[in-house]
Amino acid sequence: MTFDDDDELPPLYTRRAAWFHLLTAPADYVDEAAELVRIIREAGSGPLATLLELGAGGGNMASHYKRDVAATLVDRSASMLALSRTINPECEHLVGDMRTLRLGRSFDAVLVHDAVMYMTSAEALRAAMRTALVHLRPGGVAVFAPDCTRETFAPGTAHGGDDDGERGLRYLEWTFDPDPDDSTYTVDFALLLRDGDEVVCEHERHTYGLFARAEWLDMLEETGFKALARETELGPLFVAVRPRG
């Protein structure tokens, strides 16, 4: 299931959205949020008072960086934004598509975290980059944080989950690339969801975009950014500044 050419969102982000914080806990993002704020401050010029996050999901990142900036959180899923409001009631929440959003105002920074992985074509990724650019003031910084680039991609599995009173979630995540010659790879999720004594099993297949570092940089430069790639403990980051003048 892809985001960029299919209007149907995965169940994880719609009817199962209330379970999302048991899949990935907001508390796990404290260090990453602090590091991203530091990188944005280092790369930009001028104040860092406002931040637009595209694909903000359940608000995990925002629950930490909102201490430093006034945050506007955008996501295609109203259900995920409703979940975010439970932990980020002071933030602005807007339903919107990172490819087409036009708010008519600018921000000091734009963050596109791992939701950028749902841009599975170069056309979709360029559209998200254009959205970031038009919402930045001159000298502002956009940070794109894909899970991987083609150079760092590796197949594998992961598992985890958490409990919350009578509810619990456990997952198995299986990552593989069925066609190394295209710009996507596949992630299958097996989810066990417990509510009291009842347990149900769900399967979801997600398709993610996969682009080389040079492709990322070329597209950012073509969009109008001055960009660089950074390999960090968080994974690959693309730091893109909107030039002044």
Side-chain angles (χ1 to χ4, degrees), residues 36-53 65 68-72 103 105-112 131-143 225 239-244:
L36 289 173
V37 169
R38 187 192 68 79
I39 287 169
I40 291 169
R41 290 191 189 280
E42 179 183 273
S45 59
L48 176 56
T50 58
L51 184 149
L52 171 66
E53 184 174 356
Y65 68 64
D68 298 291
V69 296
T72 295
L103 297 179
R105 51 193 164 108
S106 61
F107 297 80
D108 299 321
V110 174
L111 173 63
V112 193
T131 297
L133 183 74
V134 301
H135 288 95
L136 274 178
R137 63 162 174 81
V141 180
V143 172
F225 285 108
V239 182
V241 177
R242 178 170 183 169
R244 292 183 177 276

Side-chain angles (χ1 to χ4, degrees), residues 149 213-214 216-217 220 227-232 236-239:
T149 61
R213 185 183 299 109
W216 269 95
L217 290 172
L220 286 166
L228 59 87
R230 297 182 57 165
E231 293 298 331
T232 73
L237 293 178
F238 294 90
V239 182

Side-chain angles (χ1 to χ4, degrees), residues 86-107:
T86 67
I87 59 172
N88 301 308
E90 66 272 55
C91 296
E92 181 182 21
H93 290 79
L94 300 172
V95 175
D97 188 319
M98 72 172 69
R99 298 165 297 176
T100 58
L101 181 77
R102 295 295 183 269
L103 297 179
R105 51 193 164 108
S106 61
F107 297 80

Side-chain angles (χ1 to χ4, degrees), residues 21 23-33 60-61 63-64 161-162:
H21 286 161
L23 178 81
T24 174
D28 293 341
Y29 290 80
V30 59
D31 292 337
E32 185 172 4
N60 290 3
M61 293 291 297
S63 67
H64 304 291
D162 208 346

Side-chain angles (χ1 to χ4, degrees), residues 13-244:
Y13 305 143
T14 52
R15 63 184 176 85
R16 297 293 187 187
W19 297 82
F20 186 78
H21 286 161
L22 298 181
L23 178 81
T24 174
D28 293 341
Y29 290 80
V30 59
D31 292 337
E32 185 172 4
E35 180 66 5
L36 289 173
V37 169
R38 187 192 68 79
I39 287 169
I40 291 169
R41 290 191 189 280
E42 179 183 273
S45 59
L48 176 56
T50 58
L51 184 149
L52 171 66
E53 184 174 356
L54 302 174
N60 290 3
M61 293 291 297
S63 67
H64 304 291
Y65 68 64
K66 68 185 180 183
R67 301 182 182 96
D68 298 291
V69 296
T72 295
L73 310 182
V74 174
D75 199 272
R76 282 186 61 190
S77 169
S79 297
M80 290 295 279
L81 292 178
L83 179 64
S84 175
R85 287 189 187 95
T86 67
I87 59 172
N88 301 308
E90 66 272 55
C91 296
E92 181 182 21
H93 290 79
L94 300 172
V95 175
D97 188 319
M98 72 172 69
R99 298 165 297 176
T100 58
L101 181 77
R102 295 295 183 269
L103 297 179
R105 51 193 164 108
S106 61
F107 297 80
D108 299 321
V110 174
L111 173 63
V112 193
H113 198 244
D114 53 6
V116 77
M117 299 305 294
Y118 290 101
M119 302 297 102
T120 57
S121 68
E123 178 184 8
L125 185 54
R126 286 191 185 97
M129 291 173 178
R130 286 193 294 272
T131 297
L133 183 74
V134 301
H135 288 95
L136 274 178
R137 63 162 174 81
V141 180
V143 172
F144 297 82
D147 289 338
C148 61
T149 61
R150 183 166 295 282
E151 292 85 353
T152 62
F153 171 81
T157 58
H159 62 88
D162 208 346
D163 299 304
D164 179 16
E166 291 294 305
R167 298 194 316 155
L169 179 149
R170 296 296 182 271
Y171 72 88
L172 173 66
E173 178 182 337
W174 183 10
T175 299
F176 62 100
D177 187 357
D179 184 358
D181 294 324
D182 69 9
S183 64
T184 66
Y185 66 98
T186 299
V187 181
D188 279 308
F189 291 93
L191 304 169
L192 287 174
L193 307 166
R194 179 182 60 81
D195 192 349
D197 292 333
E198 180 183 359
V199 178
V200 297
C201 180
E202 295 271 332
H203 167 254
E204 295 188 18
R205 170 164 288 184
H206 295 226
T207 303
Y208 293 168
L210 186 61
F211 301 93
R213 185 183 299 109
E215 292 178 292
W216 269 95
L217 290 172
D218 286 347
M219 283 188 271
L220 286 166
E221 294 284 344
E222 291 165 4
T223 301
F225 285 108
K226 298 296 293 182
L228 59 87
R230 297 182 57 165
E231 293 298 331
T232 73
E233 293 183 1
L234 308 175
L237 293 178
F238 294 90
V239 182
V241 177
R242 178 170 183 169
R244 292 183 177 276

